[in-house]
Amino acid sequence: MIEFKLPSLGSDMDEGTLLEWKVGVGDTVKKGQVVAIVDTTKAAVDVESWQEGVVHELIAEIGQKMPVGAVMALLLEAGETAPAKVGAGGTAKPAPAAAPAVAAAAAAAAPATPPAAAPVVAPAAPGRRMISPAARKHAEEKGIDLDGITGTGPHGAVTLEDVENAAAARPAPAVEKAAIKPAEPQASRAADMRKTIAAAMSRSKREIPHYYVSEDIPLAKALAWLQAANAQRPMAERLLPAALLLKAVAMALKRYPELNGYWRDGGFVPVAAINPGVAISLRQGGLIAPALLNADGKPLTLLMQELTDLVKRTRAGSLRSSEMNEATITVTNLGDQGSQAVFGVITPPQVALVGFGRVAERPWAENGGLKVLPVVTASLSADHRVSDGHRGALFLLELNELLQHPEELDK
């Protein structure tokens, strides 16, 4: 019997609330299949199974809050036979022993055994819609009728963003009643995520001996190549500098694998897959860095499509568990509105973080001359238990070199 447990969907996650089962008793579960939707302090997450089997029992109930590691369901392994008698709710239970005479009489009087019932997905309460706890709380605070909201989350689930959009669309109240409410509800929602982030970052600074290096990288060639490439693409397929920077990071990590992996049980665990976690700011406040899986092996067009989709689903509160817990390094990009440089805090158990500041025109000395070029400051925050500043600096030089040949990244 296989125990399917609530996985950790990030180093800062302690518990989750079951929103929906995607499988029922008797269903066959394949590796990588989404089996449940769980709400965390950051998002509603599609939880995948990395084990195969047949659902024998659904233990967790809709709306139940569970700690990480709690058993949610039981699966039968390949070739394993379920107990003969099935009790109420689809749970296999052994039949109690009966006296021989009673058993014989019962057998004679019993009708023919009916066919087995079809697998039943564990439902929510009758008439209950799929609504994330954060969305329900916000609707109560704003006086929003959830019955009037069309959910845009997984399978029509109502998300926090749906409630906020409904609140924004309401007509303004009459002037004589237009009292301005204080901002405590919004602050309260943001406070939970800030506490979660604070706990993870405090742990990081306590446990990880950080070192920092940075490099100014001229982007004239990269931006010129992007402009020429985009001129030949439909609007929907145009590339942003963020995709080029992510691909360059992924390719540089292939030469410096000690920056790609985890610190676990007193040692470094390298990871072959390169899954940069992309730091994404949320409209209601806070930050999530879900993984862009296998970024090194994807052409820029696909990488851009997946990045756009990842940002959209993150802000809608709809992520997969693999995106939440398989990031091997974090990349933060401040964009046009950011500062010139950023030196981030490593997300445990990762061992490095790459930061990009604002792209800006700066004076640049080259070949004895002075010119003005678009430049970005790339930084590396890394774990001194795994690598040192010399290797970190070489990584940034490799990143610089890759961005001087952008056409090589579109493979």
Side-chain angles (χ1 to χ4, degrees), residues 128-143:
R128 178 174 177 176
R129 300 176 64 198
M130 296 312 306
I131 304 167
S132 77
R136 189 181 298 278
K137 179 180 178 183
H138 191 35
E140 292 174 356
E141 293 168 348
K142 293 291 186 180

Side-chain angles (χ1 to χ4, degrees), residues 22-365:
K22 306 297 291 183
V23 294
V25 173
D27 286 353
T28 298
V29 175
K30 300 294 184 182
K31 188 175 295 186
Q33 179 179 341
V34 175
V35 297
I37 300 177
V38 171
D39 193 63
T40 72
T41 56
K42 290 188 175 182
V45 181
D46 291 345
V47 179
E48 300 150 289
S49 173
W50 299 110
Q51 298 164 309
E52 296 191 345
V54 176
V55 179
H56 173 59
E57 179 180 0
L58 299 177
I59 296 174
E61 299 179 354
I62 302 297
Q64 179 180 343
K65 182 177 288 188
M66 303 159 287
V68 169
V71 178
M72 299 178 65
L74 297 176
L75 307 180
L76 296 173
E77 298 185 70
E80 186 177 1
T81 304
K85 185 173 181 179
V86 178
T91 304
K93 299 179 180 179
V102 175
T113 303
V120 178
V121 176
R128 178 174 177 176
R129 300 176 64 198
M130 296 312 306
I131 304 167
S132 77
R136 189 181 298 278
K137 179 180 178 183
H138 191 35
E140 292 174 356
E141 293 168 348
K142 293 291 186 180
I144 300 293
D145 182 6
L146 289 168
D147 291 335
I149 297 178
T150 300
T152 62
H155 303 278
V158 177
T159 67
L160 179 60
E161 187 175 17
D162 294 330
V163 175
E164 290 179 338
N165 290 339
R170 285 193 305 183
V175 175
E176 62 271 16
K177 296 181 180 180
I180 299 177
K181 290 188 176 182
E184 287 81 5
Q186 179 68 31
S188 176
R189 292 194 308 278
D192 289 340
M193 183 171 289
R194 287 256 59 94
K195 289 177 182 177
T196 301
I197 294 172
M201 297 299 96
S202 296
R203 172 192 165 194
S204 175
K205 295 299 285 186
R206 281 196 311 269
E207 299 179 2
I208 301 176
H210 287 59
Y211 72 84
Y212 307 92
V213 288
S214 65
E215 178 75 9
D216 290 339
I217 300 177
L219 291 181
K221 293 179 181 178
L223 296 180
W225 181 86
L226 273 180
Q227 184 177 15
N230 283 336
Q232 302 174 24
R233 293 169 178 260
M235 182 67 70
E237 295 181 10
R238 292 187 177 178
L239 305 173
L240 295 177
L244 203 61
L245 296 175
L246 279 168
K247 183 63 178 288
V249 169
M251 298 305 293
L253 287 170
K254 294 172 76 71
R255 292 196 61 182
Y256 297 89
E258 66 267 39
L259 301 175
N260 189 68
Y262 309 115
W263 181 269
R264 284 180 174 152
D265 300 324
F268 176 60
V269 181
V271 179
I274 297 177
N275 305 328
V278 183
I280 300 171
S281 61
L282 304 179
R283 293 188 180 93
Q284 67 269 28
L287 187 75
I288 302 180
L292 199 56
L293 304 175
N294 302 306
D296 58 311
K298 294 174 178 174
L300 288 173
T301 298
L302 179 58
L303 200 63
M304 187 71 237
Q305 291 171 349
E306 293 190 359
L307 176 61
T308 302
D309 176 66
L310 188 65
V311 171
K312 181 179 179 180
R313 288 189 294 107
T314 297
R315 289 177 173 161
S318 177
L319 291 168
R320 296 173 72 91
S321 56
S322 57
E323 294 166 338
M324 291 292 286
N325 62 17
E326 292 188 18
T328 55
I329 187 172
T330 296
V331 178
T332 182
N333 188 340
L334 298 182
D336 294 339
Q337 304 302 315
S339 60
Q340 182 169 302
V342 56
F343 296 87
V345 180
I346 300 167
T347 302
Q350 297 169 27
V351 298
L353 177 147
V354 176
F356 292 102
R358 180 182 70 251
V359 178
E361 290 191 335
R362 303 185 209 169
W364 190 265

